Amino acid sequence: MEKTKDDPDFWNDINTLRDPAYTEFDPDDLVGLHDILKETVDGLASLISVRNQAYRRDGQEPPVGVAISGDYQLAVLHVLRQVDRVVQEQAANAAKIAGHQGASYPKLGAAWGITRQSARLKWPDAVPARGQQTHEPIPLAYAGGTAAIHHDSDADAWWYIADGADGRHEECEPVHTTSTDATAAATAFLIAHTKRGVSGL
């Protein structure tokens, strides 16, 4: 069963890369994607096409044959340029997030259908160099209390800061080897410092 936000290990699970990360498309799904994209591009091209705008000013719907005119296809090409720009921006963002969560350049390249060398050239900042990786704090709520799991880059170790439901506060030293160990320690602290009658189970 997949974890929910109520589970103490939810954020640790979110920050753990699954392998494989995806399944291949069914051919019918790709046909559907093609149809959706074509419909969207045609709609935008019709909007900016000077020829179609002229028809609409005359109170007419552009005839179907307009779509084969060279100037209309130039409008299509212009739309596709914008689509490509958006795709490239989204791809760069996805690659950076995946890379900072532990995905390697071979994995990024495989997802995009290119070699790892090409992936490194395409997204040079996606995968942090060893020793420069950054980790977002992992929030934790359990047994009525809250905590945040942090990584100390200098010590290359994990630590936590926690507030129990009974008001007890703790900030440990960076002594945990993994985020899982730090999360387990923070969870134990929160369980030990619940209000009477409060349980995380």
Side-chain angles (χ1 to χ4, degrees), residues 33-97:
L33 175 61
H34 177 273
D35 291 341
I36 292 171
L37 180 59
K38 186 177 186 305
E39 182 179 350
T40 301
V41 170
D42 283 342
L44 291 171
S46 179
L47 187 66
I48 67 172
S49 165
V50 171
R51 186 184 294 271
N52 281 19
Q53 289 171 0
Y55 274 104
R56 287 193 291 270
R57 280 197 302 269
D58 291 340
Q60 305 177 61
E61 280 298 314
V64 175
V66 166
I68 65 172
S69 67
D71 49 86
Y72 182 87
Q73 291 302 313
L74 286 174
V76 170
L77 197 61
H78 187 65
V79 170
L80 288 170
R81 173 175 171 266
Q82 305 308 314
V83 170
D84 181 66
R85 180 178 60 80
V86 172
V87 168
Q88 296 300 331
E89 289 176 354
Q90 292 292 314
N93 185 57
K96 186 172 184 179
I97 293 174

Side-chain angles (χ1 to χ4, degrees), residues 135 138 149-151 156-159 173-179 182:
H135 301 266
I138 303 171
I149 316 303
H150 297 267
H151 182 260
D156 192 22
W158 293 82
W159 60 282
E173 294 296 321
V175 295
H176 299 285
T177 306
T178 67
S179 61

Side-chain angles (χ1 to χ4, degrees), residues 94-200:
K96 186 172 184 179
I97 293 174
H100 281 67
Q101 291 280 27
S104 62
Y105 275 115
K107 289 188 179 298
L108 297 180
W112 196 249
I114 57 179
T115 65
R116 65 178 181 179
Q117 294 90 342
S118 296
R120 188 185 296 275
L121 290 173
K122 187 174 184 65
W123 305 300
D125 300 321
V127 179
R130 180 170 295 186
Q132 295 180 342
Q133 293 193 14
T134 59
H135 301 266
E136 292 294 324
I138 303 171
L140 173 65
Y142 198 66
T146 59
I149 316 303
H150 297 267
H151 182 260
D152 188 314
S153 57
D154 292 330
D156 192 22
W158 293 82
W159 60 282
Y160 68 84
I161 183 170
D163 293 286
D166 63 355
R168 179 73 178 271
H169 175 84
E170 178 167 283
E171 182 173 336
C172 79
E173 294 296 321
V175 295
H176 299 285
T177 306
T178 67
S179 61
T180 302
D181 292 340
T183 300
T187 301
F189 172 84
L190 295 177
I191 291 174
H193 295 283
T194 63
K195 286 184 179 178
R196 184 172 299 175
V198 175
S199 173

